Amino acid sequence: MTIIYSGGLPTSVSLSSQIYSWSPDAAIQYGSSQRYGWDTDTGEGISLHPDDVWASQPALRTVVRVLSRNYARVGLHVFERNNDDRIRVRGSALDLLSKNPSTKATAFKYGNALITDLCLWDRAASILTYDETNKWQLTRWPPRNWYFIRDGLDQPTAIIDMFGNEHSLDRIVWFDGYPTSAASPMETLKSVLIDMGESQAAKRDLWKGRARIPGVIERPASAPQWSPKARDNFRKTWSQYAAAGNNTGKTPILEDDMTYKPTGMITPEAAQQLESYKFNISEIASFYSLPPAFAGLMESTNYSNLVEFKSMLHGEVLGTWYEEVEQTYNAQIVPVVAPGEDLFVEHNVAAMMRMSFELQAKILAQATGAPNMTRNEARQVMNLPAKDGADDLVEPINIVRPD
């Protein structure tokens, strides 16, 4: 792989494959790395390391996936400024980079990983390279493998990798959240994640006992005295029954007038497990400014407000990500990939905000007072081949054009 340094000349370097297979535990040897989330035991047996949270917390994963995958659907377009106008630029090096960031990651995969990194780590970085095929590429640098060096004003000045090597920011495309000593956004969500972890553990314990009502076995004082062997045999037999397995659905037989008395238990309804789970999802969704309906809480939604939710998703919610990525690209990538050209990138948000085809056709017909598509244009929408003589608008005979 080739990296372009500040001198502008291609310099061939070898990027160790360990950077993508390295264990997060290896970073603990670097003292500064601990403040970025590598030493994250909560003391309650729940890890706040973003990789562990991603693997163990389905609610957070649901919310982040909604954000990252919906962001990744929106493509980046390249434009050139021409006085007060803008011209779409196709086929340029910048356009090819935005459509295909690297040979190993499509634009969708790269965008998905970028927003996931920002959600979990509040920082992200990619290595900007120029390969042997004369193409620019962006290679994601997993946040677990590096951390920023900052100056007295908290501005990033370099990156330290997990081997202790320092890297200049010259040809690294980087995203930095609010500079703080907190490990990651997972630290802010600590109480919610611990609550969800304990709730999951309680639910597992409930079903591990096959949801049986807990209780005690009472043996009357008048019953014959047990020998140690008889007592051990009973304990063993009851333990086998309580462990289910082949005994599932069977009824134990109690001898010597023994009785089973329930001691009472907190039911899932009494513990409000479902309500607690919904509340935690809502808390995580709110943390990322996502309407809870997108995370599966659909009780108060209908078709009309779902349409508004769609506008909100690509407006207030993802709009901040669009702005951050566009500004970063225009400041860090455009001057390198297209020096001297007045180019800029912009997300094609309009494509996501379009109405349904039926509603568009109805509104345009009402606005123009006449058909607005030729038959061949309609066939193109249906992926059908064009027909001869179908390139003209067919106007109803009751439409009178003004003189």
Side-chain angles (χ1 to χ4, degrees):
M1 182 178 290
T2 304
I3 293 184
I4 307 299
Y5 284 97
S6 56
L9 297 177
T11 303
S12 179
V13 297
S14 175
L15 292 178
S16 172
S17 61
Q18 298 179 50
I19 198 170
Y20 299 107
S21 60
W22 168 76
S23 169
D25 295 334
I28 296 179
Q29 62 181 303
Y30 303 111
S32 298
S33 68
Q34 294 186 14
R35 61 184 287 223
Y36 285 95
W38 286 313
D39 188 14
T40 52
D41 188 3
T42 63
E44 289 85 359
I46 298 175
S47 171
L48 293 182
H49 190 284
D51 288 345
D52 297 332
V53 174
W54 180 257
S56 62
Q57 297 289 347
L60 181 132
R61 189 163 182 164
T62 297
V63 171
V64 173
R65 279 172 60 89
V66 168
L67 291 170
S68 62
R69 296 182 73 83
N70 276 282
Y71 168 86
R73 296 173 58 201
V74 184
L76 273 172
H77 288 177
V78 179
F79 296 92
E80 181 180 11
R81 295 182 181 90
N82 184 14
N83 296 325
D84 294 332
D85 197 6
R86 54 165 61 188
I87 301 173
R88 174 80 183 275
V89 177
R90 305 175 189 267
S92 65
L94 186 60
D95 185 53
L96 294 177
L97 179 64
S98 64
K99 290 180 178 177
N100 191 22
S102 75
T103 57
K104 296 183 178 179
T106 62
F108 184 94
K109 289 183 178 179
Y110 179 82
N112 180 55
L114 172 62
I115 300 303
T116 301
D117 286 343
L118 291 173
C119 287
L120 298 181
W121 296 87
D122 204 23
R123 54 189 172 91
S126 297
I127 304 171
L128 182 61
T129 63
Y130 193 72
D131 64 16
E132 58 276 4
T133 63
N134 298 327
K135 290 183 179 179
W136 290 97
Q137 294 197 40
L138 278 175
T139 303
R140 171 181 172 263
W141 198 346
R144 77 176 72 89
N145 294 351
W146 58 269
Y147 62 92
F148 283 122
I149 295 179
R150 302 180 184 274
D151 59 19
L153 298 177
D154 279 339
Q155 298 298 316
T157 58
I159 279 179
I160 295 292
D161 66 23
M162 69 286 187
F163 301 114
N165 302 317
E166 182 174 330
H167 300 266
S168 169
L169 297 178
D170 287 343
R171 290 301 177 263
I172 294 177
V173 180
W174 53 275
F175 298 80
D176 184 25
Y178 184 76
T180 175
S181 60
S184 76
M186 302 304 100
E187 189 72 26
T188 308
L189 289 170
K190 176 179 178 179
S191 60
V192 177
L193 297 175
I194 291 176
D195 184 23
M196 296 187 70
E198 296 292 348
S199 177
Q200 291 173 4
K203 187 165 61 174
R204 284 195 301 269
D205 290 340
L206 174 66
W207 290 108
K208 187 176 181 180
R210 299 302 187 269
R212 294 190 182 93
I213 298 176
V216 296
I217 298 175
E218 294 184 350
R219 190 168 184 268
S222 59
Q225 186 175 0
W226 261 352
S227 66
K229 182 178 180 180
R231 183 182 293 106
D232 291 341
N233 286 339
F234 178 81
R235 288 176 176 173
K236 181 179 179 180
T237 303
W238 188 266
S239 296
Q240 291 175 348
Y241 163 73
N246 294 330
N247 294 317
T248 301
K250 296 182 179 179
T251 302
I253 299 176
L254 299 177
E255 300 177 345
D256 299 334
D257 294 329
M258 289 187 292
T259 57
Y260 183 84
K261 289 189 175 181
T263 56
M265 64 178 294
I266 299 178
T267 63
E269 292 81 5
Q272 294 186 321
Q273 283 191 356
L274 181 59
E275 289 75 10
S276 175
Y277 181 72
K278 291 180 179 179
F279 174 76
N280 289 331
I281 291 182
S282 179
E283 283 283 286
I284 295 174
S286 299
F287 178 80
Y288 289 107
S289 303
L290 181 72
F294 285 104
L297 303 183
M298 308 287 290
E299 289 88 345
S300 59
T301 59
N302 52 51
Y303 177 79
S304 60
N305 57 27
L306 277 178
V307 174
E308 294 303 318
F309 280 144
K310 178 182 177 181
S311 300
M312 185 183 299
L313 176 64
H314 293 284
E316 288 79 4
V317 179
L318 291 177
T320 56
W321 299 114
Y322 296 144
E323 192 70 27
E324 180 176 6
V325 174
E326 288 170 8
Q327 292 184 11
T328 300
Y329 269 54
N330 292 328
Q332 299 182 23
I333 297 181
V334 174
V336 177
V337 178
E341 300 183 52
D342 199 5
L343 302 182
F344 65 95
V345 299
E346 191 174 276
H347 288 88
N348 187 23
V349 182
M352 296 291 103
M353 302 291 284
R354 289 173 184 163
M355 299 171 288
S356 65
F357 178 77
E358 295 85 356
L359 189 56
Q360 282 186 21
K362 181 179 179 180
I363 292 177
L364 289 175
Q366 291 176 348
T368 60
N372 50 76
M373 291 182 67
T374 67
R375 285 168 291 173
N376 274 340
E377 288 172 340
R379 291 179 64 83
Q380 187 178 17
V381 172
M382 301 297 294
N383 293 320
L384 295 174
K387 292 287 187 180
D388 293 337
D391 289 322
D392 297 325
L393 284 174
V394 177
E395 298 184 6
I397 58 175
N398 61 341
I399 293 180
V400 180
R401 295 192 177 203
D403 295 334

